[in-house]
Amino acid sequence: MQESASNTPEKEVKVIISHRKAVLRRLYKNPHVVVGATIMLIFILMAILAPILAPYDPFEQVPARRLLPPGSEHFMGTDNLGRDILSRLIFGARVTLLLSFSATFVGGALGTLLGLVSGYYGGPFDSIIMRVIDVFLAFPGILLALFLVTMLGTSAMNILIAIAFFAVPTFARITRGSVMSAKKLEFIDASRAVGATDSRIMFVHILPNIMTPLIVQATLLIATNILVIAALSFIGVGVQPPTPEWGSMIEGGREFVGRADHIMFFPGLFILCVVVGINILGDGLRDALGPKQTK
Amino acid sequence: MTMTDGKVLLEVNNLKQYFPIKGGVLGRTVNQVKAVDDISFVIHEGETLSIVGESGCGKSTTGRSIMRLEKPTGGQIIYNGEDLFALSKKEMRRRRGDIQIIFQDPYASLNPRRTVFQTIDEAMTIQKVGDKSNRRQDIGELLKTVGIGEHQMNLYPHQFSGGQRQRIGIARALSVRPKLIICDEAVSALDVSIQAQVLNLLKDLQRRFKLTYIFISHDLGVVRHISDRIIVMYLGKIMEISDQKSLFNNPGHPYTYALLSSIPSTKMDEKKARVILHGDVPSPVNPPTGCPFHTRCPYVFDQCVSEKPVFYQIGENQSAACHLLKNGKVEFKNMKSPG
């Protein structure tokens, strides 16, 4: 009994806080996390504050001001219909971020659920699910999304479904693997021994302990999804004009290459920045959060 | 101390626990590991029954099967006149409060993301023990009982030492007011000084709450200290069941004798005839015919290879499965161990 440390209650509160602090500190001490998160924050703020930040109406067409190069009045120039590119890019962040975040969330949640159940119960159910997932993993994601969108028709909802769909297999695989190793831990047996139900064990005991790889994967997937959305819009099956979307903006500038390169250049730059930003963040999270948890 | 005349609390009948070995593309069962192969014993109220044996002999699996943490292959576990193996999953969950388990690794047996309070509260809520409004006091009391400060209940497992974590594991087991606690190598992962503290705590708790223990260990020193009766297992089978005194003073089975002779002695002048067993433990996938111990037994003869030995009663509370015993008890000390 001597080994029980005689912490005073005040001390103990401090310990808990310092534990949470330790996780946070590891996050903000990691330069990748800081840089990536800052870039993401800028884009997210831009999307939220779009109506305040945008200097012009993104839909307003001014025929007299077509194809203006970047200048003092139009910082990034105008497109072939005389719309302000900066304003369209700022509003386009809304579409892109909303779609890619929600698709990742929906697909990730579904895949996680599937992987959780499959890895926990194992057996024939697991085998069937995993074979089906192998088939989907064999397709390139964009091909799958393209196929679904052409089948379902091009609306924001259908694009979301298509992209979410392609997140499911990856998440299911990652979750299943983590569950299979986590379910062998003794505390799982311990909670089964006190009578915890299967769903309680899965959601209360296993899931919180395998979140790290899932968070990292989700971050990286958001980046992929931004590219997929842009690609779908570029080939004309994604977000439909006149809704400002970065991919379709690039497509709109395709005809004017050589005459007005800025129409393609700036949306491309935005896509590049946001994707690089998320990837840096994802790499940072992976280093800061895992694979070894704090003891 | 022996309470072998007490009421029977739990009866294990012909328990079998096989694990399938999957192979091939289709994942068919190609073979089986016979981790526990047809064992039977009873445990009496208030006693400490130890299960000893080498690693892989099935002692832990026996404990886990009794808890129904594994899907049973065969046999019966009779508790309160009910066969636990015949219960549905739901019925079994409700009975789990009666039998609890303490695990070997205190670093793996607590969920790192949950505080001590959350961990114990979960157990009590599921088994509907006590009043929800008194939960904090109840858990505080319980923690004090096992030697953890009341004010530490909101801490996370990583903020405790190994010994403290094991105490928390004990508190969790106790929280649902069990009758039987299975201690699965409960002190093996602890330092020797902490081992003694935890063993004493277990003994105290046994007296206070009238607990029955199944104590699974490979450490004969610890077993000698805590047990009333002892089961010796080898390759998934029981070799000997005996009360503590008879087993240590007068082992009935050559395997027990070999095990005991491996305990290091502190007496310099005492010359011990040590029995060295040769070879490895055979695979539980293809256990030897006849007596499972015949491949390594110094006293092996023809019958051992061909015929499974039955249990011979060789003392009031002692029986062993060995062909040598058919004409009564054998003094191994007088037999020379063949090199």
Side-chain angles (χ1 to χ4, degrees), chain B residues 197-265:
Chain B
Q197 290 178 10
V198 173
L199 282 176
N200 287 334
L201 172 67
L202 287 173
K203 276 192 153 181
D204 285 345
L205 295 172
Q206 182 169 42
R207 266 193 294 272
R208 238 174 104 176
F209 300 107
K210 298 188 175 59
L211 295 169
T212 307
Y213 288 139
I214 293 181
F215 196 88
I216 296 162
S217 180
H218 63 269
D219 186 336
L220 288 163
V222 169
V223 165
R224 180 175 210 161
H225 178 67
I226 200 162
S227 322
D228 297 316
R229 286 194 308 140
I230 296 159
I231 289 176
V232 179
M233 279 184 78
Y234 181 79
L235 219 60
K237 285 198 161 64
I238 294 179
M239 297 288 106
E240 178 168 359
I241 304 182
S242 167
D243 61 286
Q244 184 255 10
K245 226 180 195 160
S246 316
L247 186 107
F248 280 93
N249 295 339
N250 208 346
H253 195 284
Y255 179 62
T256 315
Y257 184 61
L259 270 188
L260 293 180
S261 80
S262 73
I263 305 176
S265 169

Side-chain angles (χ1 to χ4, degrees), chain A residues 1 3-5 7 12 15-16 19 186-187 189-190 192-195 198 200 204-205 208-209 293 295, chain B residues 64 89 93 96 100 103 105 108-109 111-113 122 127 147 151-152 155 158-159 164 167 172 197:
Chain A
M1 317 220 164
E3 16 123 26
S4 57
N7 281 345
E12 170 207 319
V15 172
I16 297 171
H19 167 59
E186 280 183 346
F187 68 81
D189 281 332
R192 189 171 300 133
V194 298
D198 287 341
R200 186 176 173 83
V204 177
H205 293 288
N209 281 295
Q293 293 271 317
K295 267 266 165 110
Chain B
R64 294 175 57 85
K89 247 178 143 177
R93 269 204 297 276
R96 286 202 181 277
Q100 278 299 301
F103 291 96
D105 184 359
S109 60
N111 186 341
R113 305 241 168 196
E122 175 185 38
Q127 292 300 330
H151 58 276
Q152 291 172 302
L155 299 187
H158 71 93
Q159 292 167 300
Q164 287 175 314
R167 287 166 190 273
R172 169 177 54 200
Q197 290 178 10

